Amino acid sequence: NGAGKSTLFSLLAGTERVSSGTIRVDSRDITRLAAYKRARLGIGIKRQMLSLFMDLSVRENLWLAGYAATGSKAAANDRAERLLDGLGLAGNPDLPADSLSHGHQQWLEMGMVIAQEPALVLLDEPTASLDPNTAYAVENLIENWALARPDERASLWVSHDPLQARRVASRELRVEAGRVMAQTEEAVR
């Protein structure tokens, strides 16, 4: 705690302004771009705190994320249906999000991030407070998503769990009080 990870994610996502320095993605300076423009460039974020539309259904949450990314009703329908099946949420697609368990709400939000088909996903403690089986499922979901297009997709995880970090990381960086304390020079796995 206090290492600056949430601040880093806010800076990368564009929800907080940079006081100095530059943020580049694929050699493009995005330092002054608004958050919605960064999302359109392919930066998705899953924060610790849920940001679902609790009164809307599971399907509607996924649909909105797909529509925000594509601007197409047909594409949003397609993405929502594929994700309902792929996430195992097709059994109750019309339930309001607030009726889901905490684990399923986290799972739904992961689906909303994936519905945007980002190139980079920022994951801030995506498995915090989840049971071990659901946590492994989240790890596998992101790994399979990234492996579907390994040259085009990446994820940046924040995790307090060193075992999880080693399971999911291709590179590991340890930060304390805003300073890099250690990092791997090559793939962890």
Side-chain angles (χ1 to χ4, degrees):
N1 291 330
K5 59 194 176 304
S6 295
T7 301
L8 172 64
F9 274 25
S10 293
L11 293 169
L12 293 173
T15 56
E16 213 169 292
R17 291 279 173 217
V18 174
S19 59
S20 65
T22 304
I23 299 172
R24 295 187 181 281
V25 173
D26 290 331
S27 303
R28 181 175 178 180
D29 184 348
I30 65 165
T31 309
R32 303 282 177 239
L33 282 184
Y36 77 92
K37 289 183 179 180
R38 292 178 195 210
R40 287 185 180 155
L41 284 176
I43 298 175
I45 187 166
K46 166 67 180 87
R47 297 190 183 272
Q48 275 184 291
M49 301 302 293
L50 287 170
S51 57
L52 298 173
F53 298 98
M54 291 297 188
D55 292 339
L56 298 181
S57 72
V58 170
R59 182 191 320 269
E60 290 167 329
N61 271 276
L62 292 170
W63 188 90
L64 282 172
Y67 186 76
T70 65
S72 162
K73 291 178 182 179
N77 285 334
D78 180 57
R79 287 184 188 192
E81 293 307 314
R82 278 187 293 126
L83 284 165
L84 282 168
D85 289 335
L87 295 171
L89 295 172
N92 296 306
D94 298 316
L95 284 178
D98 69 353
S99 69
L100 299 176
S101 69
H102 177 71
H104 281 110
Q105 287 175 344
Q106 293 281 5
W107 197 242
L108 173 58
E109 190 168 38
M110 291 297 302
M112 291 176 68
V113 172
I114 290 172
Q116 298 169 49
E117 295 190 5
L120 172 64
V121 174
L122 308 172
L123 300 159
D124 191 358
E125 292 285 339
T127 59
S129 73
L130 297 180
D131 66 83
N133 289 333
T134 306
Y136 284 124
V138 168
E139 292 171 17
N140 289 330
L141 174 69
I142 294 300
E143 184 174 34
N144 290 334
W145 165 83
L147 290 175
R149 290 195 234 153
D151 295 336
E152 300 173 22
R153 294 178 175 171
S155 62
L156 178 60
W157 289 63
V158 168
S159 178
H160 289 281
D161 180 350
L163 296 176
Q164 180 185 58
R166 287 191 176 85
R167 277 193 309 272
V168 301
S170 59
R171 293 193 68 199
E172 187 176 342
L173 182 72
R174 294 184 190 182
V175 179
E176 186 176 317
R179 288 190 159 48
V180 175
M181 302 306 288
Q183 64 181 317
T184 58
E185 295 301 320
E186 54 191 57
V188 174
R189 295 187 254 159

